């Protein structure tokens, strides 16, 4: 009886450890891509360095379709709609602009975790990669070097 109980407890402990390590491994395998490289573009006037917006998300690629402007430095969980539509911004954006003087991250999960796309500091835009296109859930300024104390950086 004691041996069965001990074996059962050992199995529960092993299962809990496997779940914990599996969760950590999944987070460690998150991918990241800069999307404002050679295929990127300068931000549009509604979301450039002279605007009040830190970043913008677009419904379609290449600045197309409806646009959601953000005048805040961090959105823990994207939950609003593209203006003038019934389309939620979360999991429905295809491109982004950086209107801040900082690096901006876009993540697949709420709370700034998981796969990410990055817009480097200053007036840059790009199309979201296949990992994040129509699959984004949080966005923020994340740049402790150029912009300490802003957003989550």
């Amino acid at each position: 009886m004691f041996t069965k109980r001990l074996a059962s407890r050992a199995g529960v402990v092993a299962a809990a450890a496997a779940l914990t390590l599996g969760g950590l491994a999944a987070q460690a395998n998150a991918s990241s891509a800069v999307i404002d490289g050679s295929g990127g573009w300068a931000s549009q006037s509604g979301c450039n360095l002279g605007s009040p917006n830190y970043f913008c998300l677009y419904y379609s690629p290449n600045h197309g379709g409806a646009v959601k402007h953000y005048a805040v430095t961090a959105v823990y969980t994207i939950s609003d709609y593209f203006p003038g539509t019934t389309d939620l911004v979360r999991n429905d954006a295809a491109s982004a602009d950086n209107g801040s003087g900082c690096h901006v991250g876009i993540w697949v999960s709420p709370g700034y975790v998981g796969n990410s796309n990055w817009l480097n500091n200053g007036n840059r835009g790009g199309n979201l990669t296949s990992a994040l296109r129509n699959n984004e859930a949080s966005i923020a300024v994340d740049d402790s070097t150029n912009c300490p104390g802003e957003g989550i950086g």
Side-chain angles (χ1 to χ4, degrees):
M1 177 91 150
F2 177 74
T3 306
K4 277 186 171 180
R5 237 188 270 165
L6 185 58
S8 175
R9 286 184 183 165
V12 169
V13 169
L19 285 173
T20 301
L21 291 175
L24 292 175
Q27 186 62 24
N29 291 332
S31 67
S32 181
V34 174
I35 60 172
D36 65 6
S38 61
W41 55 74
S43 295
Q44 293 200 2
S45 61
C47 199
N48 65 18
L49 291 175
S51 78
N53 302 305
Y54 287 92
F55 36 79
C56 298
L57 291 171
Y58 296 84
Y59 183 78
S60 300
N62 305 319
H63 291 135
V67 59
K68 176 64 181 164
H69 299 89
Y70 292 94
V72 296
T73 59
V75 181
Y76 187 86
T77 301
I78 298 170
S79 61
D80 35 10
Y81 291 87
F82 284 107
T85 74
T86 57
D87 296 314
L88 284 170
V89 177
R90 181 175 174 173
N91 298 331
D92 227 0
S95 55
D97 272 345
N98 181 357
S100 74
C102 316
H103 300 309
V104 168
I106 307 161
W107 290 268
V108 73
S109 297
Y112 323 112
V113 295
N115 293 336
S116 60
N117 281 179
W118 290 87
L119 294 162
N120 287 328
N121 59 325
N123 226 19
R124 298 169 181 242
N127 291 324
L128 299 176
T129 63
S130 60
L132 265 80
R133 184 173 175 171
N134 299 327
N135 195 26
E136 65 294 321
S138 55
I139 185 170
V141 168
D142 187 8
D143 187 355
S144 58
T145 302
N146 298 313
C147 304
E150 289 192 42
I152 63 170

mmCIF file of all heavy atoms in Angstrom, residues 94-130:
data_model
loop_
_atom_site.group_PDB
_atom_site.id
_atom_site.type_symbol
_atom_site.label_atom_id
_atom_site.label_comp_id
_atom_site.label_asym_id
_atom_site.label_seq_id
_atom_site.Cartn_x
_atom_site.Cartn_y
_atom_site.Cartn_z
ATOM 1 N N ALA A 94 -2.994 43.247 -40.310
ATOM 2 C CA ALA A 94 -2.036 42.692 -41.264
ATOM 3 C C ALA A 94 -0.775 43.532 -41.393
ATOM 4 O O ALA A 94 0.244 43.050 -41.902
ATOM 5 C CB ALA A 94 -2.695 42.540 -42.633
ATOM 6 N N SER A 95 -0.811 44.795 -40.954
ATOM 7 C CA SER A 95 0.378 45.641 -41.029
ATOM 8 C C SER A 95 0.367 46.621 -39.867
ATOM 9 O O SER A 95 -0.651 46.800 -39.186
ATOM 10 C CB SER A 95 0.463 46.363 -42.375
ATOM 11 O OG SER A 95 -0.697 47.109 -42.653
ATOM 12 N N ALA A 96 1.521 47.262 -39.639
ATOM 13 C CA ALA A 96 1.677 48.140 -38.481
ATOM 14 C C ALA A 96 2.616 49.295 -38.805
ATOM 15 O O ALA A 96 3.437 49.207 -39.719
ATOM 16 C CB ALA A 96 2.227 47.345 -37.298
ATOM 17 N N ASP A 97 2.477 50.373 -38.041
ATOM 18 C CA ASP A 97 3.359 51.540 -38.112
ATOM 19 C C ASP A 97 3.877 51.868 -36.723
ATOM 20 O O ASP A 97 3.189 51.648 -35.729
ATOM 21 C CB ASP A 97 2.587 52.773 -38.594
ATOM 22 C CG ASP A 97 2.550 52.915 -40.097
ATOM 23 O OD1 ASP A 97 3.328 52.260 -40.793
ATOM 24 O OD2 ASP A 97 1.719 53.711 -40.567
ATOM 25 N N ASN A 98 5.075 52.460 -36.680
ATOM 26 C CA ASN A 98 5.673 52.920 -35.444
ATOM 27 C C ASN A 98 5.764 54.436 -35.496
ATOM 28 O O ASN A 98 6.547 54.988 -36.264
ATOM 29 C CB ASN A 98 7.074 52.308 -35.281
ATOM 30 C CG ASN A 98 7.762 52.730 -34.003
ATOM 31 O OD1 ASN A 98 7.238 53.526 -33.241
ATOM 32 N ND2 ASN A 98 8.944 52.195 -33.781
ATOM 33 N N GLY A 99 4.974 55.110 -34.699
ATOM 34 C CA GLY A 99 5.003 56.560 -34.639
ATOM 35 C C GLY A 99 5.810 57.081 -33.467
ATOM 36 O O GLY A 99 5.837 58.270 -33.207
ATOM 37 N N SER A 100 6.461 56.189 -32.733
ATOM 38 C CA SER A 100 7.254 56.596 -31.568
ATOM 39 C C SER A 100 8.716 56.743 -31.967
ATOM 40 O O SER A 100 9.122 56.358 -33.050
ATOM 41 C CB SER A 100 7.134 55.549 -30.455
ATOM 42 O OG SER A 100 7.890 54.397 -30.782
ATOM 43 N N GLY A 101 9.489 57.277 -31.098
ATOM 44 C CA GLY A 101 10.936 57.329 -31.296
ATOM 45 C C GLY A 101 11.602 56.136 -30.622
ATOM 46 O O GLY A 101 12.784 56.170 -30.319
ATOM 47 N N CYS A 102 10.824 55.082 -30.387
ATOM 48 C CA CYS A 102 11.271 53.909 -29.636
ATOM 49 C C CYS A 102 11.013 52.641 -30.435
ATOM 50 O O CYS A 102 10.305 52.669 -31.431
ATOM 51 C CB CYS A 102 10.487 53.800 -28.328
ATOM 52 S SG CYS A 102 10.287 55.339 -27.421
ATOM 53 N N HIS A 103 11.562 51.527 -29.979
ATOM 54 C CA HIS A 103 11.227 50.236 -30.570
ATOM 55 C C HIS A 103 9.832 49.837 -30.076
ATOM 56 O O HIS A 103 9.480 50.071 -28.924
ATOM 57 C CB HIS A 103 12.220 49.148 -30.160
ATOM 58 C CG HIS A 103 13.627 49.444 -30.570
ATOM 59 N ND1 HIS A 103 13.984 49.793 -31.850
ATOM 60 C CD2 HIS A 103 14.780 49.419 -29.860
ATOM 61 C CE1 HIS A 103 15.283 49.981 -31.913
ATOM 62 N NE2 HIS A 103 15.793 49.768 -30.708
ATOM 63 N N VAL A 104 9.040 49.225 -30.978
ATOM 64 C CA VAL A 104 7.685 48.777 -30.638
ATOM 65 C C VAL A 104 7.585 47.288 -30.911
ATOM 66 O O VAL A 104 8.005 46.817 -31.969
ATOM 67 C CB VAL A 104 6.625 49.551 -31.464
ATOM 68 C CG1 VAL A 104 5.256 48.907 -31.330
ATOM 69 C CG2 VAL A 104 6.573 51.012 -31.032
ATOM 70 N N GLY A 105 7.039 46.546 -29.949
ATOM 71 C CA GLY A 105 6.822 45.108 -30.106
ATOM 72 C C GLY A 105 5.349 44.802 -30.272
ATOM 73 O O GLY A 105 4.495 45.491 -29.711
ATOM 74 N N ILE A 106 5.066 43.779 -31.055
ATOM 75 C CA ILE A 106 3.699 43.286 -31.258
ATOM 76 C C ILE A 106 3.751 41.789 -30.947
ATOM 77 O O ILE A 106 4.577 41.085 -31.537
ATOM 78 C CB ILE A 106 3.227 43.516 -32.710
ATOM 79 C CG1 ILE A 106 3.406 44.982 -33.108
ATOM 80 C CG2 ILE A 106 1.769 43.070 -32.877
ATOM 81 C CD1 ILE A 106 3.399 45.214 -34.602
ATOM 82 N N TRP A 107 2.907 41.315 -30.037
ATOM 83 C CA TRP A 107 2.980 39.930 -29.586
ATOM 84 C C TRP A 107 1.718 39.152 -29.928
ATOM 85 O O TRP A 107 0.629 39.704 -29.985
ATOM 86 C CB TRP A 107 3.201 39.873 -28.076
ATOM 87 C CG TRP A 107 4.551 40.324 -27.668
ATOM 88 C CD1 TRP A 107 5.664 39.550 -27.500
ATOM 89 C CD2 TRP A 107 4.962 41.666 -27.365
ATOM 90 N NE1 TRP A 107 6.732 40.330 -27.114
ATOM 91 C CE2 TRP A 107 6.328 41.635 -27.033
ATOM 92 C CE3 TRP A 107 4.307 42.899 -27.359
ATOM 93 C CZ2 TRP A 107 7.050 42.765 -26.682
ATOM 94 C CZ3 TRP A 107 5.017 44.029 -27.023
ATOM 95 C CH2 TRP A 107 6.374 43.953 -26.682
ATOM 96 N N VAL A 108 1.883 37.844 -30.060
ATOM 97 C CA VAL A 108 0.787 36.944 -30.410
ATOM 98 C C VAL A 108 -0.158 36.697 -29.229
ATOM 99 O O VAL A 108 -1.306 36.352 -29.426
ATOM 100 C CB VAL A 108 1.339 35.616 -30.986
ATOM 101 C CG1 VAL A 108 1.962 34.764 -29.892
ATOM 102 C CG2 VAL A 108 0.289 34.838 -31.737
ATOM 103 N N SER A 109 0.304 36.917 -28.013
ATOM 104 C CA SER A 109 -0.510 36.667 -26.818
ATOM 105 C C SER A 109 -0.665 37.934 -25.989
ATOM 106 O O SER A 109 0.187 38.826 -26.045
ATOM 107 C CB SER A 109 0.140 35.584 -25.948
ATOM 108 O OG SER A 109 0.198 34.372 -26.647
ATOM 109 N N PRO A 110 -1.724 38.012 -25.193
ATOM 110 C CA PRO A 110 -1.855 39.136 -24.259
ATOM 111 C C PRO A 110 -0.683 39.139 -23.283
ATOM 112 O O PRO A 110 -0.081 38.094 -23.011
ATOM 113 C CB PRO A 110 -3.165 38.837 -23.521
ATOM 114 C CG PRO A 110 -3.921 37.926 -24.423
ATOM 115 C CD PRO A 110 -2.879 37.105 -25.126
ATOM 116 N N GLY A 111 -0.377 40.302 -22.761
ATOM 117 C CA GLY A 111 0.677 40.397 -21.755
ATOM 118 C C GLY A 111 2.071 40.400 -22.313
ATOM 119 O O GLY A 111 3.034 40.131 -21.593
ATOM 120 N N TYR A 112 2.231 40.665 -23.629
ATOM 121 C CA TYR A 112 3.545 40.828 -24.239
ATOM 122 C C TYR A 112 4.384 39.547 -24.205
ATOM 123 O O TYR A 112 5.565 39.580 -23.887
ATOM 124 C CB TYR A 112 4.307 41.990 -23.580
ATOM 125 C CG TYR A 112 3.415 43.152 -23.213
ATOM 126 C CD1 TYR A 112 3.168 43.473 -21.876
ATOM 127 C CD2 TYR A 112 2.781 43.902 -24.193
ATOM 128 C CE1 TYR A 112 2.324 44.521 -21.529
ATOM 129 C CE2 TYR A 112 1.935 44.947 -23.861
ATOM 130 C CZ TYR A 112 1.710 45.251 -22.532
ATOM 131 O OH TYR A 112 0.871 46.277 -22.190
ATOM 132 N N VAL A 113 3.762 38.425 -24.522
ATOM 133 C CA VAL A 113 4.480 37.143 -24.547
ATOM 134 C C VAL A 113 4.212 36.402 -25.854
ATOM 135 O O VAL A 113 3.254 36.677 -26.561
ATOM 136 C CB VAL A 113 4.103 36.242 -23.346
ATOM 137 C CG1 VAL A 113 4.540 36.860 -22.032
ATOM 138 C CG2 VAL A 113 2.625 35.935 -23.321
ATOM 139 N N GLY A 114 5.083 35.456 -26.133
ATOM 140 C CA GLY A 114 4.933 34.621 -27.320
ATOM 141 C C GLY A 114 5.669 35.178 -28.520
ATOM 142 O O GLY A 114 6.534 36.048 -28.392
ATOM 143 N N ASN A 115 5.341 34.673 -29.705
ATOM 144 C CA ASN A 115 5.951 35.154 -30.940
ATOM 145 C C ASN A 115 5.737 36.656 -31.055
ATOM 146 O O ASN A 115 4.725 37.188 -30.602
ATOM 147 C CB ASN A 115 5.334 34.457 -32.150
ATOM 148 C CG ASN A 115 5.661 32.982 -32.188
ATOM 149 O OD1 ASN A 115 6.643 32.519 -31.621
ATOM 150 N ND2 ASN A 115 4.828 32.222 -32.852
ATOM 151 N N SER A 116 6.703 37.349 -31.683
ATOM 152 C CA SER A 116 6.596 38.803 -31.769
ATOM 153 C C SER A 116 7.132 39.326 -33.093
ATOM 154 O O SER A 116 7.912 38.663 -33.773
ATOM 155 C CB SER A 116 7.367 39.458 -30.615
ATOM 156 O OG SER A 116 8.736 39.102 -30.671
ATOM 157 N N ASN A 117 6.670 40.502 -33.447
ATOM 158 C CA ASN A 117 7.205 41.291 -34.552
ATOM 159 C C ASN A 117 7.662 42.614 -33.963
ATOM 160 O O ASN A 117 7.082 43.097 -32.982
ATOM 161 C CB ASN A 117 6.138 41.566 -35.612
ATOM 162 C CG ASN A 117 5.873 40.386 -36.539
ATOM 163 O OD1 ASN A 117 5.036 40.482 -37.419
ATOM 164 N ND2 ASN A 117 6.556 39.270 -36.375
ATOM 165 N N TRP A 118 8.704 43.204 -34.569
ATOM 166 C CA TRP A 118 9.292 44.431 -34.034
ATOM 167 C C TRP A 118 9.385 45.498 -35.091
ATOM 168 O O TRP A 118 9.721 45.229 -36.248
ATOM 169 C CB TRP A 118 10.684 44.137 -33.471
ATOM 170 C CG TRP A 118 10.568 43.330 -32.235
ATOM 171 C CD1 TRP A 118 10.495 41.970 -32.147
ATOM 172 C CD2 TRP A 118 10.419 43.821 -30.921
ATOM 173 N NE1 TRP A 118 10.317 41.595 -30.851
ATOM 174 C CE2 TRP A 118 10.270 42.707 -30.070
ATOM 175 C CE3 TRP A 118 10.399 45.092 -30.375
ATOM 176 C CZ2 TRP A 118 10.102 42.833 -28.702
ATOM 177 C CZ3 TRP A 118 10.238 45.216 -29.006
ATOM 178 C CH2 TRP A 118 10.095 44.088 -28.188
ATOM 179 N N LEU A 119 9.092 46.726 -34.687
ATOM 180 C CA LEU A 119 9.313 47.918 -35.489
ATOM 181 C C LEU A 119 10.389 48.713 -34.762
ATOM 182 O O LEU A 119 10.214 49.076 -33.595
ATOM 183 C CB LEU A 119 8.029 48.741 -35.592
ATOM 184 C CG LEU A 119 6.876 48.081 -36.347
ATOM 185 C CD1 LEU A 119 5.556 48.759 -36.013
ATOM 186 C CD2 LEU A 119 7.131 48.125 -37.840
ATOM 187 N N ASN A 120 11.525 48.940 -35.421
ATOM 188 C CA ASN A 120 12.601 49.689 -34.785
ATOM 189 C C ASN A 120 12.194 51.139 -34.575
ATOM 190 O O ASN A 120 11.206 51.610 -35.127
ATOM 191 C CB ASN A 120 13.876 49.588 -35.605
ATOM 192 C CG ASN A 120 14.506 48.214 -35.506
ATOM 193 O OD1 ASN A 120 14.398 47.555 -34.477
ATOM 194 N ND2 ASN A 120 15.140 47.765 -36.567
ATOM 195 N N ASN A 121 13.001 51.852 -33.771
ATOM 196 C CA ASN A 121 12.640 53.214 -33.399
ATOM 197 C C ASN A 121 12.536 54.141 -34.610
ATOM 198 O O ASN A 121 13.316 54.065 -35.541
ATOM 199 C CB ASN A 121 13.618 53.775 -32.366
ATOM 200 C CG ASN A 121 15.042 53.806 -32.862
ATOM 201 O OD1 ASN A 121 15.476 52.946 -33.593
ATOM 202 N ND2 ASN A 121 15.768 54.823 -32.468
ATOM 203 N N GLY A 122 11.498 54.967 -34.574
ATOM 204 C CA GLY A 122 11.320 56.022 -35.545
ATOM 205 C C GLY A 122 10.612 55.673 -36.834
ATOM 206 O O GLY A 122 11.001 54.780 -37.547
ATOM 207 N N ASN A 123 9.521 56.281 -37.096
ATOM 208 C CA ASN A 123 8.870 56.406 -38.396
ATOM 209 C C ASN A 123 8.978 55.203 -39.325
ATOM 210 O O ASN A 123 9.368 55.343 -40.478
ATOM 211 C CB ASN A 123 9.459 57.631 -39.082
ATOM 212 C CG ASN A 123 8.400 58.494 -39.689
ATOM 213 O OD1 ASN A 123 7.238 58.389 -39.312
ATOM 214 N ND2 ASN A 123 8.776 59.338 -40.598
ATOM 215 N N ARG A 124 8.644 54.006 -38.854
ATOM 216 C CA ARG A 124 8.785 52.794 -39.654
ATOM 217 C C ARG A 124 7.514 51.973 -39.638
ATOM 218 O O ARG A 124 6.804 51.930 -38.650
ATOM 219 C CB ARG A 124 9.926 51.944 -39.120
ATOM 220 C CG ARG A 124 11.263 52.647 -39.188
ATOM 221 C CD ARG A 124 12.281 51.868 -38.394
ATOM 222 N NE ARG A 124 13.551 52.532 -38.413
ATOM 223 C CZ ARG A 124 14.645 52.011 -38.918
ATOM 224 N NH1 ARG A 124 14.636 50.824 -39.456
ATOM 225 N NH2 ARG A 124 15.774 52.667 -38.885
ATOM 226 N N GLY A 125 7.268 51.289 -40.740
ATOM 227 C CA GLY A 125 6.113 50.411 -40.829
ATOM 228 C C GLY A 125 6.471 49.131 -41.550
ATOM 229 O O GLY A 125 7.524 49.025 -42.165
ATOM 230 N N GLY A 126 5.589 48.151 -41.471
ATOM 231 C CA GLY A 126 5.831 46.886 -42.147
ATOM 232 C C GLY A 126 4.622 45.973 -42.059
ATOM 233 O O GLY A 126 3.688 46.222 -41.300
ATOM 234 N N ASN A 127 4.652 44.927 -42.867
ATOM 235 C CA ASN A 127 3.606 43.911 -42.839
ATOM 236 C C ASN A 127 3.936 42.889 -41.763
ATOM 237 O O ASN A 127 5.096 42.484 -41.619
ATOM 238 C CB ASN A 127 3.493 43.214 -44.192
ATOM 239 C CG ASN A 127 2.936 44.129 -45.257
ATOM 240 O OD1 ASN A 127 2.082 44.950 -44.990
ATOM 241 N ND2 ASN A 127 3.432 43.992 -46.473
ATOM 242 N N LEU A 128 2.939 42.468 -41.001
ATOM 243 C CA LEU A 128 3.149 41.447 -39.981
ATOM 244 C C LEU A 128 3.535 40.136 -40.654
ATOM 245 O O LEU A 128 3.059 39.823 -41.753
ATOM 246 C CB LEU A 128 1.891 41.269 -39.134
ATOM 247 C CG LEU A 128 1.429 42.518 -38.358
ATOM 248 C CD1 LEU A 128 0.124 42.236 -37.640
ATOM 249 C CD2 LEU A 128 2.483 42.979 -37.389
ATOM 250 N N THR A 129 4.391 39.365 -40.002
ATOM 251 C CA THR A 129 4.799 38.068 -40.539
ATOM 252 C C THR A 129 3.669 37.058 -40.386
ATOM 253 O O THR A 129 2.688 37.305 -39.683
ATOM 254 C CB THR A 129 6.043 37.522 -39.809
ATOM 255 O OG1 THR A 129 5.698 37.303 -38.435
ATOM 256 C CG2 THR A 129 7.225 38.467 -39.916
ATOM 257 N N SER A 130 3.843 35.911 -41.009
ATOM 258 C CA SER A 130 2.796 34.881 -40.956
ATOM 259 C C SER A 130 2.497 34.443 -39.525
ATOM 260 O O SER A 130 1.383 34.033 -39.218
ATOM 261 C CB SER A 130 3.178 33.682 -41.816
ATOM 262 O OG SER A 130 4.382 33.103 -41.354
#
